[in-house]
Amino acid sequence: MQDKNKLTGTPISRIDGIAKVTGKAAYATDYPVKNLAYAVLFKSTIAAGTIRTIDSAAAEKAPGVLAVITHTNAPKLNVNGGIRGGALLQSPEIEFYGQHIGMVVAETFEQARHAAHLINVTYDRKEPKVDFEKLYKDAVLPKEKDKADAVRGDAKAALREATYKVEAVYETPIEHHHPLEPHATIAEWAGDRVTLYNSSQIVNGAQSAAAATLNIKTEQVRIVSPYIGGGFGSKGGQWANLVLTAVAARQVNRPVKLALTRQQMVNSVGMRQRNHQKVSLAATKDGKLTALAHEITTHGAIKNEFVEPCGDCSKIMYAVPNSLITYRAVPMNVILPTYTRGPGKSTGSFALESAMDELAYALKMDPVELRIKNEPDRDPSNGKPWSSRKAVDCLQVGAKAFGWEKRKAEPRQNQRGNFLIGYGVASGTYPAHQRPTSAIVKLKRSGNEVLATIELAAADLGTGTYTILAQTAADALALPIRHVKVLIGDSDLPPAAGSVGSVGASSYANAVNDACQKITDELIARSGKQFFVRPTASQLMLSEKITDFQTRIDAKPLESAEEYSAHSFNANFAEVAVNRFTGMVRVNRFLAVTGAGTILNPKTARSQIIGGTIWGIGMALTEESVLDPRYGNFVTRSFADYHVPANLDIGDLEAIFIREDDQKANTLGVKGIGEVGIVGVAAAVANAIFNATGKRVRELPITPDKLL
């Protein structure tokens, strides 16, 4: 039962909610910086080749123009400083369509945009590598060490000998992040120190990357990012626009704002890469898996490599004696792919969990039963015991809540009017980690009240970081939540982990809790007294008449955590309705059941899961970035053609959290839910479509033309 006196575990509304809905929350371009100039990027119109000439004379003479910056006059930058994707105006070489080749700085945005259209560029063209269909057969082993072939037993031999097996190829397309707030930066220099108002999922990471690229010291860069309007991984690493804003500001000797347009986003800040995945499963007649092979072929950029880990779920989800996970990648003239929500797990789970559904159908076995039958008692990838694993609980609780027993195994057995009704299930997982994070707690007594300020360079993607940290501190200090102030999103604060990879909540909350425990210990020591019952920090501030007191903690993960395999798990249940005549699919109902350790705030946690579910539905049915194989440009550049689900596309969504006490993962038992919410969703929808129609679609998105 939830302790009625505790704030953690209580569904409290966001403490920053009023600031956001009233416009008081300052995002990257909202800061009232004086004497602001505006920068607009201009981009390459070829995918491969070299710039021959850039004629900027007309642009330089245009009204209001302060500077035109290209590779011919840009300062020397460190291209290995940590900025992703290149495009730093250091060379005439073109590696992808839409690469930054220059920027115009002017008094107004309109003047800069007009002048950018006056620039004439000529190229020496090369034949671009942009057609994945023609290139993927030439893919080779990636350079990343963690993408080496993972072999356990002899999967190929077991597959050859198997009586019951499934072998199929599953395709997922390029997708883009498209957060509500596009990438934008304001740069302001004061002497040799630059302040960058920017959306950064990893505040200190942005600081170090900017400093290294600009060839200055880390302490000469300040990142200010208290609010982020979404990022989904695109604001985890930093891209050229961050540093180029600083370059422009220094060149014109005044603050500069550079905001990417929605169209520019598609070739400026990464994407989810296309994945060709062959999954092979073998099992005994009673459903025990004997072999699993997951062979992934994908692409990177022409010179840089990023391969999302599509095989991660296949490594740990099921007990199987013979396993093979392989990666192969081919370079292409596209912007460098990057982390996208549930990286690898969301795309990989579509392949794995679809194959599990196919195997269950071939065995005439319930898909939930098949998954439970192959539950591993240890992490199959490394032999470590689980810190806690609630995969079976998620399936069992979800099946009961969803009404799974009403599902009919054979497709096309349920019909309502012109709609075929189907039911699907899929499991998912995401690793749970705590990262080193520092925090300061400041206590101030005012009369008989004690106020606390929590400071750390954490990030809030819009997921409720302010609120869960206020709850954590209020509990640890025994203060009302209204007496707790949270300051985050500034590199001048103590360094913190990023809001990426579901490490934010566990890293931040544990650091804040540790800091609050430390300040209580220090106040007890300062009092010089012994207590039969441990007093609270606020009681000590009052009893000892202390006006101000503060401490800092440099929190690290538990040393014992490495002895265990820590993951969040989920089960996803979908009901779809497919129009027999148009092939249109609607998700009528969706239930996500998640085991993710301690839930600090059920209200914000539910929002996280609902958001992940919606994106997973979009992944299944609508989202696809289409690359023109002739030129290498994306033809889907706005929400008019890159389709994300709208309110009318989504039926009833519900989220259930399994009670899970896992203090082996970290002190508070927090596992994180930002990533796992999308994992398994697309497969559940695809499996439901098969149950409705009898058509197995293995290529996302599942559009009407693939069902008719």
Side-chain angles (χ1 to χ4, degrees):
M1 294 292 290
Q2 169 69 31
D3 184 343
K4 294 181 179 180
N5 295 318
K6 289 190 69 175
L7 287 164
T8 50
T10 303
I12 293 173
S13 295
R14 297 167 193 248
I15 62 174
D16 55 327
I18 297 298
K20 287 183 174 180
V21 299
T22 58
K24 292 180 180 179
Y27 292 84
T29 59
D30 292 339
Y31 290 88
V33 177
K34 294 180 180 180
N35 197 30
L36 195 64
Y38 296 81
V40 168
L41 293 165
F42 54 95
K43 291 167 161 282
S44 70
T45 55
I46 65 169
T50 306
I51 297 171
R52 183 189 302 162
T53 63
I54 297 180
D55 182 358
S56 59
E60 291 167 357
K61 295 175 184 177
V65 171
L66 302 171
V68 177
I69 304 170
T70 69
H71 73 277
T72 63
N73 63 345
K76 183 67 175 177
L77 301 176
N78 175 14
V79 297
N80 298 313
I83 293 295
R84 299 182 66 81
L88 286 165
L89 309 185
Q90 298 296 291
S91 163
E93 188 175 358
I94 302 300
E95 297 178 7
F96 59 91
Y97 193 105
Q99 177 181 317
H100 310 326
I101 58 174
M103 56 182 166
V104 176
V105 189
E107 296 285 352
T108 70
F109 169 74
E110 291 78 12
Q111 289 171 331
R113 182 176 60 180
H114 169 69
H117 288 295
L118 300 178
I119 293 171
N120 183 44
V121 184
T122 63
Y123 304 94
D124 292 319
R125 298 171 182 261
K126 294 180 182 178
E127 186 68 25
K129 295 181 178 181
V130 291
D131 192 338
F132 184 74
E133 297 291 342
K134 295 179 179 178
L135 295 170
Y136 82 91
K137 293 180 181 178
D138 298 325
V140 297
L141 184 70
K143 297 175 184 176
E144 299 175 36
K145 292 181 180 179
D146 64 345
K147 299 302 185 300
D149 294 356
V151 180
R152 190 172 67 252
D154 191 339
K156 293 293 186 181
L159 284 162
R160 286 194 299 269
E161 298 166 4
T163 303
Y164 296 92
K165 60 184 174 183
V166 167
E167 292 183 314
V169 172
Y170 303 87
E171 297 270 3
T172 56
I174 292 174
E175 294 178 337
H176 277 87
H177 307 79
H178 284 309
L180 187 63
E181 177 201 23
H183 289 233
T185 306
I186 294 176
E188 183 177 24
W189 288 89
D192 63 356
R193 192 169 193 258
V194 63
T195 298
L196 298 168
Y197 302 93
N198 183 64
S199 288
S200 307
Q201 289 179 237
I202 311 176
V203 173
N204 298 111
Q207 179 189 28
S208 59
T213 306
L214 290 166
N215 297 303
I216 59 179
K217 296 177 180 179
T218 302
E219 56 267 26
Q220 291 176 259
V221 176
R222 181 187 179 196
I223 301 292
V224 179
S225 182
Y227 297 100
I228 303 173
F232 314 116
S234 69
K235 297 174 184 175
Q238 287 300 315
W239 301 84
N241 55 287
L242 173 73
V243 168
L244 292 180
T245 312
V247 168
R250 172 157 274 181
Q251 188 130 338
V252 301
N253 197 30
R254 59 192 279 192
V256 169
K257 177 190 292 188
L258 193 162
L260 298 182
T261 66
R262 183 66 59 189
Q263 289 78 12
Q264 288 176 334
M265 290 279 287
V266 301
N267 47 32
S268 296
V269 291
M271 60 192 179
R272 193 196 296 280
Q273 61 207 124
R274 181 173 173 180
N275 294 297
H276 173 101
Q277 304 178 68
K278 181 182 178 182
V279 177
S280 307
L281 299 176
T284 60
K285 185 177 181 179
D286 65 351
K288 290 291 289 183
L289 289 173
T290 59
L292 186 162
H294 194 161
E295 299 163 278
I296 300 115
T297 306
T298 187
H299 64 87
I302 201 69
K303 289 185 178 177
N304 295 296
E305 187 177 87
F306 173 85
V307 177
E308 66 169 346
C310 295
D312 277 7
C313 292
S314 295
K315 286 182 179 179
I316 73 161
M317 275 306 299
Y318 302 111
V320 55
N322 302 289
S323 173
L324 173 66
I325 313 293
T326 68
Y327 295 91
R328 300 293 182 268
V330 63
M332 285 176 54
N333 287 107
V334 294
I335 191 170
L336 181 68
T338 192
Y339 302 98
T340 312
R341 194 172 192 176
K345 286 74 169 175
S346 50
T347 42
S349 66
F350 166 66
L352 173 66
E353 294 297 306
S354 295
M356 286 292 286
D357 200 71
E358 295 200 48
L359 181 62
Y361 184 72
L363 291 168
K364 301 189 185 309
M365 190 173 183
D366 184 278
V368 171
E369 181 187 349
L370 176 64
R371 287 170 170 82
I372 293 175
K373 182 178 281 289
N374 290 285
E375 172 74 357
D377 57 2
R378 285 176 171 261
D379 185 332
S381 70
N382 55 29
K384 291 182 180 181
W386 304 108
S387 62
S388 178
R389 178 174 166 126
K390 295 294 184 179
V392 170
D393 302 67
C394 290
L395 286 164
Q396 291 174 334
V397 170
K400 183 176 181 180
F402 188 76
W404 184 254
E405 74 281 357
K406 298 176 183 177
R407 171 186 179 270
K408 297 177 182 178
E410 284 300 316
R412 303 182 71 90
Q413 298 301 302
N414 287 314
Q415 187 170 334
R416 297 176 196 158
N418 292 329
F419 292 92
L420 297 169
I421 309 300
Y423 304 91
V425 65
S427 292
T429 184
Y430 202 87
H433 298 292
Q434 179 186 346
R435 300 299 188 205
T437 294
S438 301
I440 289 175
V441 178
K442 296 179 178 178
L443 298 179
K444 185 177 184 64
R445 180 175 60 85
S446 178
N448 290 323
E449 287 188 340
V450 175
L451 307 177
T453 301
I454 310 297
E455 298 181 356
L456 64 163
D460 184 1
L461 274 168
T463 55
T465 300
Y466 285 95
T467 309
I468 61 172
L469 296 190
Q471 289 175 268
T472 301
D475 277 348
L477 298 170
L479 289 174
I481 195 169
R482 67 181 183 277
H483 287 183
V484 178
K485 181 180 181 180
V486 177
L487 297 178
I488 63 173
D490 191 326
S491 61
D492 280 356
L493 300 174
S499 186
V500 292
S502 279
V503 305
S506 60
S507 303
Y508 305 155
N510 277 286
V512 168
N513 181 70
D514 289 353
C516 293
Q517 297 301 327
K518 183 183 178 186
I519 203 169
T520 305
D521 291 339
E522 290 176 352
L523 284 166
I524 291 173
R526 174 170 168 159
S527 75
K529 300 173 183 176
Q530 291 185 330
F531 299 91
F532 291 105
V533 177
R534 180 179 171 87
T536 67
S538 56
Q539 288 171 339
L540 289 161
M541 290 287 289
L542 294 171
S543 65
E544 302 304 310
K545 296 181 172 56
I546 300 171
T547 303
D548 294 282
F549 198 77
Q550 71 177 60
T551 196
R552 171 176 168 146
I553 193 82
D554 299 308
K556 296 179 180 180
L558 298 172
E559 290 185 7
S560 59
E562 285 300 313
E563 300 172 8
Y564 299 92
S565 183
H567 293 258
S568 296
F569 291 92
N570 70 6
N572 302 278
F573 295 83
E575 176 191 305
V576 302
V578 183
N579 190 296
R580 292 190 302 130
F581 302 107
T582 67
M584 290 294 293
V585 180
R586 177 178 170 80
V587 178
N588 287 338
R589 291 191 297 137
F590 198 99
L591 170 64
V593 185
T594 308
T598 301
I599 303 301
L600 295 169
N601 186 325
K603 190 172 187 177
T604 56
R606 181 180 183 274
S607 294
Q608 282 275 74
I609 296 298
I610 294 300
T613 297
I614 293 170
W615 193 348
I617 292 171
M619 180 180 171
L621 301 179
T622 64
E623 292 192 47
E624 179 179 16
S625 295
V626 179
L627 193 67
D628 189 325
R630 298 169 299 173
Y631 310 113
N633 63 315
F634 286 103
V635 297
T636 45
R637 296 190 294 269
S638 73
F639 289 140
D641 39 36
Y642 185 91
H643 297 152
V644 298
N647 285 349
L648 290 176
D649 298 314
I650 301 298
D652 293 332
L653 305 183
E654 193 48 77
I656 294 175
F657 294 102
I658 299 293
R659 183 178 177 85
E660 183 176 16
D661 183 16
D662 183 354
Q663 293 185 340
K664 296 184 178 72
N666 53 73
T667 301
L668 294 179
V670 178
K671 286 188 169 182
I673 53 175
E675 309 279 12
V676 78
I678 190 177
V679 183
V681 175
V685 174
N687 294 339
I689 290 172
F690 171 76
N691 184 247
T693 66
K695 292 186 177 181
R696 179 68 66 178
V697 182
R698 302 185 181 94
E699 180 183 356
L700 297 183
I702 304 175
T703 47
D705 56 297
K706 296 172 184 174
L707 291 171
L708 292 176

